[in-house]
Amino acid sequence: VPKASGDGHAGARAGRVSRTRSGQDGEGPARGVTIAYLAERAGVSVPTVSKVINGRSDVSEETRRRVEAVVREYGYQRPARPDQRADLLELIFHELESPWALEIIRGVERVAGVQDVAVVLSELEGRRSPGRDWLAGALRRRPTGVISVFSELTEAQRSRLTARAIPFVTIDPTGEPIHETPSVGATNWSGGYAATRHLLELGHRRIAIISGPDLIPCCRARLDGYRAAMDAAGVPVDGLVHFGDLHVEEGVALGRELLAQPEPPTAIFAGNDLQALGVYEAAHQVGTRIPDELSVVGFDNLSVARWAVPRLTTIHQPLTEMASAATNLVLQLARGEAPAQTRIELATSLVVRDSTAPPRR
Amino acid sequence: VPKASGDGHAGARAGRVSRTRSGQDGEGPARGVTIAYLAERAGVSVPTVSKVINGRSDVSEETRRRVEAVVREYGYQRPARPDQRADLLELIFHELESPWALEIIRGVERVAGVQDVAVVLSELEGRRSPGRDWLAGALRRRPTGVISVFSELTEAQRSRLTARAIPFVTIDPTGEPIHETPSVGATNWSGGYAATRHLLELGHRRIAIISGPDLIPCCRARLDGYRAAMDAAGVPVDGLVHFGDLHVEEGVALGRELLAQPEPPTAIFAGNDLQALGVYEAAHQVGTRIPDELSVVGFDNLSVARWAVPRLTTIHQPLTEMASAATNLVLQLARGEAPAQTRIELATSLVVRDSTAPPRR
C-alpha cells in the first residue's frame, strides 16, 4: 500500500504535494493514495470520499467517520489544482478585544501577502475553542492551512483537518505545554525573569506580580520566571503573588487592593500591558505617583505601552514576528515540506521606559 | 434587450440574484442576460466572457475591456451556485496600525458570522487605494462583496468589480464627499460641534483644535463643526486651528508647540483619540496637568480613551455599528436588493470623562 506523506508531524500532517515538486517529478497518482483506492478501502463510492475530503455536509455522520478513518490510515495527497481559486489561510482568534490581536494580524498579513495567500479571519467571541459552525465553514472553504491564536482546536477538529491534509499551527498556545500541534510562542519564562531582575537591580524588594490565569502556560511561565529571579536574589515572594484576567479592569481592581495594603509593594509586574494600564488607573485613583512611588512593568509591548503616560517599561513580545513565523510554518507544512522546527519560541526582551525607577526608601 | 438589475446604484450595482428569490420565481436565464448573449455582443466566445467574469488573467487586456464594456451596458446576473464554496467578503484596510481597525473588524465579523460569510482581510500598508495585486487576487476569489475602509477603489477597480456584479461599500470614505459609492460614515460635523460646545460650556475660550488632514472629508467636517460652535458662541478662532496626521506622535509634537505659546490654549480638541494621547504626553513633558491646567477632548472613543489616565473625554464614533451597517449594506446589494439608503451616517455622541474641567482663570 502506498503511504503518502508518511513522515508527517503528528497533528498537522501536511499531505499536499507542492505544485512545483509535483510538476517536476511528474509521477502523478502513483505517488500517493488515490481517491478510488480510499473509496475501495472504506467501502463507499468515489464521490462520497470526494465529498468528505471537500467538507460537504451531505454525507452521513457514520460514513464521514469511516472515510476519515481510512484517510488517516492511508494518507491522502490533494492533487495540485492549476486553476484553483486563490489559496486561503484561516486565522482564528479567541477574541478581537485587545490591540494585541492587531499585531498578530499584521504579522500574518505580511507573509500571506508576499505568498499570495488570502487571510480569512474568524473570531470565537471569547471561547477558547472554535465551535462546530467554524469548522463546517472552514472545510467548505478548503483552506491551505489554519492558524489558531491563543485558542485550541478540539481533538475532533484536529482529526478532521488532518484527514483533509489541512495543516494547522497555534500562536501562543493555551493548552498543554507538551503538545503535538505545531506552535509559535515567545520565551515567557525569560521575559518574567528579565522584568523581575530589572526591578531587583533598581533596588526593589517588595515586588508584587499580577499573573494571568495560572493554567495558561504563557502566564505560568512568566510567573515562574518572576519566582526564579526573586529566588536568585534571595527575596521572599510571600503575599506578593496575585492572579487576574489579562484585562485593564482586573489591573485596576488588583492594583487598588495592592496599594491599599498596610505595606504596599514598591513595584508591580503586571501580567500584560493592559493589566499594567489598569494599575496606572488604580495608582491615579489613590494618588500614588508612577514611577516616584510605584514602579510598573508590563508584558507584550503593544503600542499602548508607548502611548501611556508615563511611557510603560515592558517586556517586548515579538507578536508580529511570531505571527509571521507561524504563517511561514503552516505554509511550509501545506507544501509538504518538513520544517526544521515545529515548536518555536521567539525571544522576548526588556524595554526600559519611564514607569520604573529606584524605590524611594 | 433584457436588462438586468437596471435600478443599480451607480458604482456598485449588485446584479446577483438572491438564491432565495431565484429559487422562488424560477424564471431562470430569461430573467437576465445570458453569457451567450454577452459573448455575441462582444464578438468573443462564451468561455472568454466566462473568464472575464471569473477574474481569470489569461485574457488579453483589449478583450477584457471589450467584454467589461458589454457587461456594463447590458448587465449580468450571476446565477446562484448551489454547491459553491462559502461566500467571501473582502475587507480592505488602509493600514492596520490603530486599535481603530479592530473595532471595524469586530463589526464586520459580527454580521458576517451570522450570515455565514467568511471575511478576507487585506492591508494596503498605508496606501489610500488598493494596488493591482489586490484586485487580481480578489477577482480570483470571486467575493460576494468588497468593503474598503478609509480607502478608495480607483475608477478602474470599481469598473471591474461592477462588471462582475460584485458590490462594494466604503466605511469612512476618504474621497470626494459627493460620491457614488455606497458608504457608511459618522456624523463628523455634529461630533466636532458637540466637542467644542462642551468645552465652551465649561467656560473655555482659548480652545485649540488639532485637525486631521484638511482634504479628508471626515476631518474637515469635524473642523467645520468646531468652527460653527465657536462662531455660534462668538469666539474667534484666529491662531487656534492646527493640522496634523492622525497619529500619537503628531499629537505630541503639536501639543508641545501649543503649550509653548506665550498664551497657551486652556483646551485642545484633538483630531482623534490617538492625537489626544499625544497631547497627554506633551502635557506630561512640560508639566501641565490634565484637566486642572488643560482640558483635552478626543474623537473615536477607542478602548484606549477609557484606559488613559485621566480617562479621556471624547466623541464616540460608533465604529463597530458602522462596520456592521456596511456589511449588511454590501450583502443586501449582493442579493440584488435595493437598500433604502446607500449613503449612511451614524450618529456620534459626546462621552464626558475626566480630561475636561472648567479653566482655572
Side-chain angles (χ1 to χ4, degrees):
Chain A
V1 172
K3 191 134 175 164
S5 64
D7 69 327
H9 302 274
R13 211 156 35 164
R16 191 191 297 189
V17 178
S18 85
R19 280 182 235 162
T20 321
R21 273 172 45 198
S22 95
Q24 281 169 347
D25 56 28
E27 288 177 37
R31 238 187 136 243
V33 168
T34 62
I35 289 189
Y37 183 81
L38 294 171
E40 192 195 310
R41 304 308 306 176
V44 299
S45 70
V46 166
T48 300
V49 172
S50 180
K51 278 178 186 176
V52 172
I53 286 171
N54 291 320
R56 292 261 298 270
S57 53
D58 50 347
V59 178
S60 79
E61 187 66 17
E62 197 208 310
T63 306
R64 187 175 63 68
R65 279 182 207 283
R66 194 158 71 229
V67 172
E68 285 179 358
V70 170
V71 171
R72 264 196 303 280
E73 188 177 347
Y74 298 100
Y76 168 65
Q77 296 185 314
R78 191 185 286 284
R81 290 170 292 166
D83 189 33
Q84 72 183 136
R85 298 218 294 196
D87 285 329
L88 296 179
L89 199 57
E90 299 277 329
L91 177 61
I92 319 171
F93 275 92
H94 150 246
E95 62 179 22
L96 288 168
E97 278 289 334
S98 156
W100 193 91
L102 216 52
E103 314 260 335
I104 302 275
I105 293 171
R106 289 165 61 198
V108 173
E109 285 286 333
R110 195 168 292 174
V111 173
V114 171
Q115 304 212 15
D116 200 19
V117 176
V119 179
V120 175
L121 192 71
S122 305
E123 187 195 1
L124 306 179
E125 291 166 355
R127 281 171 299 161
R128 283 272 154 73
S129 180
R132 292 175 57 90
D133 289 355
W134 170 79
L135 188 70
L139 293 180
R140 259 185 298 140
R141 291 188 286 274
R142 286 191 260 156
T144 303
V146 174
I147 299 177
S148 63
V149 184
F150 202 60
S151 56
E152 304 284 322
L153 301 173
T154 64
E155 174 62 42
Q157 289 168 338
R158 289 199 297 268
S159 156
R160 293 187 65 181
L161 290 173
T162 303
R164 285 164 187 82
I166 299 170
F168 44 93
V169 169
T170 301
I171 296 176
D172 205 6
T174 51
E176 166 64 31
I178 311 303
H179 50 265
E180 291 186 327
T181 303
S183 68
V184 180
T187 58
N188 288 292
W189 185 89
S190 311
Y193 194 94
T196 310
R197 196 157 72 180
H198 168 62
L199 292 167
L200 287 164
E201 284 174 355
L202 286 170
H204 292 276
R205 289 298 172 269
R206 285 194 58 72
I207 303 169
I209 181 170
I210 304 178
S211 171
D214 199 23
L215 287 175
I216 296 180
C218 66
C219 299
R220 176 60 197 240
R222 290 172 201 176
L223 173 58
D224 287 347
Y226 158 87
R227 283 197 177 113
M230 293 289 268
D231 279 358
V235 179
V237 301
D238 308 322
L240 293 170
V241 177
H242 302 267
F243 296 93
D245 273 344
L246 295 165
H247 293 121
V248 175
E249 294 70 25
E250 203 79 358
V252 179
L254 284 164
R256 287 190 61 121
E257 260 180 50
L258 287 167
L259 294 174
Q261 289 178 349
E263 211 181 335
T266 61
I268 296 178
F269 172 32
N272 66 356
D273 291 345
L274 299 188
Q275 270 191 358
L277 292 184
V279 172
Y280 272 47
E281 172 64 22
H284 178 71
Q285 287 177 11
V286 300
T288 298
R289 279 172 299 132
I290 299 169
D292 310 15
E293 298 168 297
L294 178 71
S295 286
V296 179
V297 180
F299 203 106
D300 281 343
N301 195 25
L302 304 179
S303 306
V304 289
R306 272 187 288 119
W307 301 339
V309 179
R311 297 178 313 135
L312 180 66
T313 296
T314 190
I315 299 295
H316 177 71
Q317 179 169 207
L319 293 165
T320 306
E321 290 76 10
M322 285 159 61
S324 293
T327 310
N328 276 319
L329 180 55
V330 81
L331 293 176
Q332 266 189 299
L333 291 168
R335 285 191 300 265
E337 295 167 17
Q341 269 193 295
T342 57
R343 280 174 60 198
I344 301 164
E345 288 199 353
L346 300 187
T348 53
S349 56
L350 173 69
V351 180
V352 178
R353 296 205 181 94
D354 307 330
S355 66
T356 46
R360 288 212 295 187
R361 302 159 254 194
Chain B
V1 172
K3 188 134 177 167
S5 64
D7 68 327
H9 302 273
R13 212 157 33 166
R16 193 192 295 189
V17 177
S18 84
R19 281 182 233 161
T20 322
R21 274 172 42 200
S22 94
Q24 281 166 351
D25 57 26
E27 286 178 39
R31 238 187 136 244
V33 169
T34 62
I35 289 190
Y37 184 83
L38 293 171
E40 192 195 311
R41 303 310 304 177
V44 299
S45 70
V46 167
T48 299
V49 172
S50 180
K51 278 178 185 176
V52 171
I53 286 172
N54 291 320
R56 293 261 298 271
S57 53
D58 49 346
V59 178
S60 79
E61 187 67 15
E62 197 206 313
T63 305
R64 187 176 62 70
R65 278 183 208 283
R66 195 159 70 230
V67 172
E68 284 179 358
V70 171
V71 172
R72 265 196 303 281
E73 189 176 346
Y74 297 100
Y76 169 64
Q77 297 184 312
R78 192 186 285 284
R81 288 170 293 164
D83 189 35
Q84 71 182 139
R85 299 218 295 196
D87 285 330
L88 297 179
L89 198 57
E90 299 277 329
L91 177 61
I92 320 171
F93 274 91
H94 151 246
E95 63 180 20
L96 287 169
E97 277 289 335
S98 157
W100 195 91
L102 215 52
E103 314 261 334
I104 302 274
I105 292 172
R106 287 166 62 198
V108 172
E109 285 285 335
R110 196 168 292 174
V111 172
V114 171
Q115 305 211 16
D116 200 20
V117 176
V119 178
V120 174
L121 192 72
S122 305
E123 187 194 1
L124 306 179
E125 292 167 355
R127 280 170 299 160
R128 282 274 154 73
S129 180
R132 291 174 59 90
D133 289 354
W134 170 78
L135 187 69
L139 293 180
R140 259 184 298 138
R141 291 188 287 274
R142 288 190 260 156
T144 303
V146 174
I147 299 176
S148 63
V149 184
F150 202 61
S151 55
E152 304 283 322
L153 301 172
T154 64
E155 174 63 41
Q157 289 168 339
R158 289 199 297 269
S159 157
R160 294 186 66 181
L161 290 173
T162 303
R164 285 165 187 82
I166 299 170
F168 44 92
V169 170
T170 302
I171 296 176
D172 205 6
T174 51
E176 167 62 31
I178 310 303
H179 51 262
E180 292 185 327
T181 303
S183 68
V184 180
T187 58
N188 288 291
W189 185 89
S190 310
Y193 194 93
T196 311
R197 197 158 71 179
H198 167 62
L199 292 167
L200 287 163
E201 284 175 355
L202 286 170
H204 292 276
R205 288 299 172 267
R206 286 194 58 73
I207 304 169
I209 182 171
I210 304 177
S211 171
D214 201 22
L215 287 175
I216 298 181
C218 66
C219 298
R220 177 57 197 243
R222 291 172 201 176
L223 172 59
D224 287 347
Y226 158 88
R227 283 198 177 113
M230 293 289 268
D231 278 358
V235 179
V237 300
D238 308 322
L240 293 170
V241 177
H242 302 266
F243 296 92
D245 274 343
L246 295 165
H247 292 120
V248 174
E249 295 69 25
E250 203 80 357
V252 179
L254 284 164
R256 287 191 62 122
E257 258 180 51
L258 287 167
L259 294 174
Q261 289 176 348
E263 212 181 335
T266 63
I268 297 177
F269 172 31
N272 66 356
D273 290 344
L274 298 189
Q275 269 190 0
L277 291 184
V279 171
Y280 271 47
E281 172 66 20
H284 178 70
Q285 287 177 9
V286 300
T288 299
R289 279 171 300 132
I290 299 170
D292 310 15
E293 298 168 297
L294 178 71
S295 286
V296 180
V297 180
F299 204 107
D300 280 343
N301 194 26
L302 304 179
S303 306
V304 290
R306 273 188 288 117
W307 301 340
V309 179
R311 296 178 315 134
L312 180 67
T313 296
T314 188
I315 299 295
H316 177 72
Q317 179 168 208
L319 293 166
T320 305
E321 291 77 9
M322 286 159 62
S324 292
T327 311
N328 275 318
L329 182 55
V330 80
L331 293 177
Q332 267 189 297
L333 291 168
R335 287 191 299 265
E337 294 168 18
Q341 269 193 296
T342 56
R343 279 174 59 198
I344 301 165
E345 288 199 353
L346 298 188
T348 52
S349 56
L350 175 68
V351 180
V352 178
R353 296 204 182 96
D354 308 330
S355 67
T356 46
R360 290 212 294 187
R361 302 158 251 192

